Amino acid sequence: MAETVSVNPSPIQRNTNDVAIELTKLYGSRFGFASEEELENTYARYYALAKTLELNYRGLDNLVPEDILNKIIK
């Protein structure tokens, strides 16, 4: 049996929730949140954006900014 174990690193897999949380944190660190509702809405917008980009899913279009949708839908 080998005395050392060699492991090849695999790329970090980010899911939609991870992306939304990171974007929400970035937004919060830059602009802050005036209320819990603003935090919830910001997270929901970023989650919808990440999910739309991941799946090209049209059910969340109303939460994704129009300029981004126009770039996706061509």
Side-chain angles (χ1 to χ4, degrees):
M1 179 179 264
E3 300 241 351
T4 60
V5 176
S6 176
V7 177
N8 292 329
S10 60
I12 297 172
Q13 298 294 316
R14 307 293 295 209
N15 64 35
T16 306
N17 187 55
D18 293 334
V19 172
I21 288 173
E22 289 298 321
L23 291 172
T24 302
K25 285 179 179 179
L26 286 171
Y27 178 92
S29 69
R30 175 75 166 98
F31 302 107
F33 297 106
S35 66
E36 185 176 319
E37 184 177 347
E38 182 183 2
L39 171 61
E40 291 170 353
N41 289 337
T42 301
Y43 170 81
R45 288 186 59 203
Y46 285 131
Y47 183 86
L49 174 61
K51 197 62 158 175
T52 299
L53 294 173
E54 176 187 32
L55 301 175
N56 205 16
Y57 182 69
R58 301 293 178 233
L60 300 172
D61 286 355
N62 62 330
L63 295 173
V64 178
E66 191 67 32
D67 59 325
I68 293 174
L69 285 177
N70 289 337
K71 291 176 184 177
I72 296 170
I73 304 171
K74 285 190 176 188

